[in-house]
């Protein structure tokens, strides 16, 4: 019987050792053949499952999903341990040092007057340690792999920090309308490449508006998607109740059902 069977409780170190066994000869063939590349999407999926648990306010699920996310960290660290680069302790050491360094008001002699000072110090220390001399350097550090709306928000905030921003939301709205006009022109010209570019500009400008009204663009779009799903579900139900074939009835009739579903929601 393995030393890891039937324990009353397990520690982080147990998790590290279990992953080592799974990756070792005689362990699990699937775990042993994985690479950073092969399981990178698993890391993303587990992260979003943690977010789902938070949104549901489900503490039991949150505990489970945090464990799955931690397992991903241990998994990747074990691969590098095998390669002789670093291990889980190295990862823990690095993040502990970072937390201490970026909280001089807690672990040092720096005095702060609220959250704004904390964030300012954090950004200054981060730029210094990462040798970011310009705002462009800071922007380039924003991962391209982030969700596009989130990345756009971060880039715009960094530009705004040095004054590259509209005075108020009206400027952002005017820019959005300008970009919509350019998208209309690209569509009119049947310019496929320009359509893609202008659509991107419309989305980027919409993110700019979201910053000014202090609304998270990702969350706003998620809420709109939820609303669309809810109303479409009602439209489909109404069509079924009335014997309407959605594929053949035409958009005008479907739009009437949509307005009815919208009114029902209100």
């Amino acid at each position: 019987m393995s030393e890891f069977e039937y324990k009353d409780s397990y520690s982080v170190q147990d998790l590290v050792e279990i992953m080592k066994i799974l990756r070792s000869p005689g362990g699990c063939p699937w775990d042993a053949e994985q690479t950073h590349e092969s399981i990178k999407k698993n890391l993303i999926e587990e992260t979003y499952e943690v977010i789902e648990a938070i949104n549901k306010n489900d503490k039991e699920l949150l505990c489970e999903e945090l464990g799955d996310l931690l397992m991903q960290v241990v998994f990747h660290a074990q691969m590098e341990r095998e390669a002789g680069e670093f291990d889980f302790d190295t990862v823990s050491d690095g993040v502990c040092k970072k937390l201490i360094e970026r909280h001089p008001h807690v672990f040092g002699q720096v005095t702060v007057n609220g959250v704004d000072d904390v964030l300012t110090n954090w950004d200054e220390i981060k730029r210094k340690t990462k040798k970011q001399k310009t705002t462009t350097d800071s922007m380039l550090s924003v991962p391209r792999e982030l969700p596009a709306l989130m990345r756009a928000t971060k880039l715009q905030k960094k530009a705004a920090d040095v004054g590259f921003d509209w005075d108020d939301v009206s400027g952002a709205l005017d820019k959005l309308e300008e970009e919509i006009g350019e998208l209309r022109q690209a569509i009119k010209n049947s310019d496929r490449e320009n359509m893609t570019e202008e659509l991107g500009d419309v989305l980027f400008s919409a993110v700019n508006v979201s910053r000014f009204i202090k609304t998270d663009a990702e969350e706003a779009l998620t809420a709109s998607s939820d609303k669309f799903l809810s109303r479409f579900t009602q439209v489909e139900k109404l069509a079924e109740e009335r014997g309407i074939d959605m594929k053949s009835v035409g958009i005008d009739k479907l739009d009437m059902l949509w307005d009815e579903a919208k009114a029902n929601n209100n």
Side-chain angles (χ1 to χ4, degrees), residues 28-217:
C28 174
W30 185 88
D31 289 294
E33 71 178 12
Q34 299 312 306
T35 65
H36 293 305
E37 184 69 24
S38 70
I39 64 169
K40 66 182 182 182
K41 290 185 179 179
N42 298 54
L43 181 60
I44 295 173
E45 290 171 6
E46 298 297 353
T47 300
Y48 279 111
E49 287 176 8
V50 170
I51 300 301
E52 178 187 24
I54 293 172
N55 288 343
K56 289 181 176 180
N57 195 29
D58 187 328
K59 304 302 182 183
E60 183 177 351
L61 182 61
L62 176 59
C63 182
E64 177 185 349
E65 297 302 344
L66 285 172
D68 291 344
L69 183 57
L70 177 59
M71 186 270 288
Q72 291 295 318
V73 176
V74 171
F75 206 151
H76 285 279
Q78 175 60 27
M79 293 179 195
E80 290 306 314
R81 180 182 182 278
E82 294 162 7
E85 296 294 335
F86 60 82
D87 59 14
F88 185 77
D89 285 342
T90 315
V91 174
S92 298
D93 175 70
V95 73
C96 286
K97 288 176 177 175
K98 180 187 292 184
L99 286 172
I100 293 169
E101 180 182 48
R102 296 190 185 177
H103 290 83
H105 55 289
V106 177
F107 301 103
Q109 305 301 316
V110 173
T111 300
V112 296
N113 295 310
V115 174
D116 289 342
D117 284 356
V118 172
L119 295 177
T120 298
N121 287 341
W122 178 283
D123 287 339
E124 288 179 357
I125 295 169
K126 181 178 180 179
R127 291 185 65 163
K128 184 181 297 183
T129 56
K130 291 184 175 293
K131 297 179 172 58
Q132 297 170 355
K133 297 181 179 180
T134 67
T135 300
T136 297
D137 290 338
S138 179
M139 286 181 168
L140 289 172
S141 72
V142 177
R144 193 173 187 273
E145 290 74 17
L146 283 177
L149 297 179
M150 184 183 297
R151 182 179 179 228
T153 301
K154 286 182 174 292
L155 292 175
Q156 291 173 8
K157 284 182 177 178
K158 289 181 181 296
D161 285 343
V162 292
F164 193 80
D165 205 5
W166 304 107
D167 292 332
D168 53 44
V169 69
S170 62
L173 283 169
D174 289 344
K175 185 63 175 176
L176 175 58
E177 291 173 359
E178 175 187 325
E179 296 297 350
I180 291 174
E182 292 179 5
L183 175 59
R184 289 183 184 277
Q185 188 61 47
I187 294 172
K188 182 178 179 180
N189 295 339
S190 299
D191 186 338
R192 174 62 56 185
E193 183 176 346
N194 202 26
M195 281 186 229
T196 300
E197 179 181 348
E198 297 302 341
L199 177 60
D201 290 344
V202 167
L203 295 173
F204 193 82
S205 296
V207 170
N208 224 350
V209 173
S210 77
R211 284 193 311 109
F212 276 98
I213 63 175
K214 301 187 185 307
T215 297
D216 184 278

Side-chain angles (χ1 to χ4, degrees), residues 11-23:
S11 66
V12 172
Q13 193 56 43
D14 286 330
L15 176 58
V16 172
E17 289 302 314
I18 290 170
M19 182 57 66
K20 179 181 177 182
I21 293 171
L22 291 174
R23 293 269 300 173

Side-chain angles (χ1 to χ4, degrees), residues 192-261:
R192 174 62 56 185
E193 183 176 346
N194 202 26
M195 281 186 229
T196 300
E197 179 181 348
E198 297 302 341
L199 177 60
D201 290 344
V202 167
L203 295 173
F204 193 82
S205 296
V207 170
N208 224 350
V209 173
S210 77
R211 284 193 311 109
F212 276 98
I213 63 175
K214 301 187 185 307
T215 297
D216 184 278
E218 289 281 348
E219 293 181 4
L221 183 54
T222 295
S224 288
S225 296
D226 289 341
K227 181 170 62 177
F228 176 83
L229 176 59
S230 175
R231 289 182 182 171
F232 183 86
T233 300
Q234 291 188 51
V235 168
E236 192 170 47
K237 184 178 179 180
L238 288 171
E240 183 178 0
E241 290 173 350
R242 298 169 189 179
I244 297 173
D245 181 2
M246 291 181 65
K247 291 183 178 181
S248 61
V249 72
I251 188 60
D252 290 339
K253 180 62 177 178
L254 293 178
D255 198 39
M256 290 174 62
L257 293 179
W258 177 271
D259 289 340
E260 185 176 343

